[in-house]
Amino acid sequence: MSTTTQTDREPHAGEPHRRPVVDTAQYVLAGFLVVVGAYVVYDATGLEDGFSDQPVQPYAFPYVVGAVLVVLGVLLAIATRRGDVAEAEDGEDVDLTTGSDWATVAKLAALFVLNIALIDWLGWAITGAVLFAGTAYVLGSRTPVRDLAVGAALSVGTFYGFYVGLGLPMPAGILDGVL
């Protein structure tokens, strides 16, 4: 949601003259969208034609996506120039005056590294459950049995979802032949 600021009006008597708010981040995002969109369109020019019986050629989708990105970037720059400024979030329960909790970030990173290191040996069903339970514990849950049960259900469910539903094999690890 954004609000529009009045930057083109004259100040009232006794009111100091305010400079318009320049939201550099929005201009950077607009420029990024234009650059990415232009690159997508440029890259699409190198795609070869598909079969003649295809109703939509392979380059059609990148042209549309690239053009939409360029248009959105230009519209964002215009809106920013007109004074639209992003509204601060009120719903987050975050104290921006405190620093980051790097210990929690390090624990979560260690869980991901452990998952990467053990997934081939133990398999996704086990490491996924440990990853879920460990993440829940690091983020404040104090019910490890329930977290492991939910993690096991999610990891086995995603294992079969990928393996059966999508045809993508997941590492079974020590449970090879059981799953």
Side-chain angles (χ1 to χ4, degrees), residues 48-73:
E48 297 178 15
D49 289 343
F51 297 109
S52 61
D53 63 342
Q54 289 179 324
V56 178
Q57 293 297 316
Y59 50 77
F61 188 69
Y63 279 143
V64 170
V65 170
V68 167
L69 285 173
V70 169
V71 169
L72 288 176

Side-chain angles (χ1 to χ4, degrees), residues 124 151-163:
W124 171 250
L154 287 173
S155 62
V156 170
T158 55
F159 178 86
Y160 281 115
F162 275 88
Y163 192 75

Side-chain angles (χ1 to χ4, degrees), residues 121-177:
W121 180 56
L122 294 177
W124 171 250
I126 294 173
T127 60
V130 171
L131 179 66
F132 180 85
T135 302
Y137 181 79
V138 168
L139 295 178
S141 175
R142 296 299 176 248
T143 54
V145 173
R146 183 186 66 191
D147 295 338
L148 274 173
V150 170
L154 287 173
S155 62
V156 170
T158 55
F159 178 86
Y160 281 115
F162 275 88
Y163 192 75
V164 175
L166 297 174
L168 299 172
M170 300 280 287
I174 60 174
L175 298 177
D176 192 19

Side-chain angles (χ1 to χ4, degrees), residues 10 34 42 46-47 58 63 98 114 134-135 137 145 173:
E10 292 296 320
V34 169
Y42 166 74
L47 293 175
Y63 279 143
T98 61
L114 181 69
T135 302
Y137 181 79
V145 173

Side-chain angles (χ1 to χ4, degrees), residues 9-18:
R9 69 171 178 83
E10 292 296 320
H12 295 289
E15 183 181 49
H17 181 70
R18 287 191 241 181

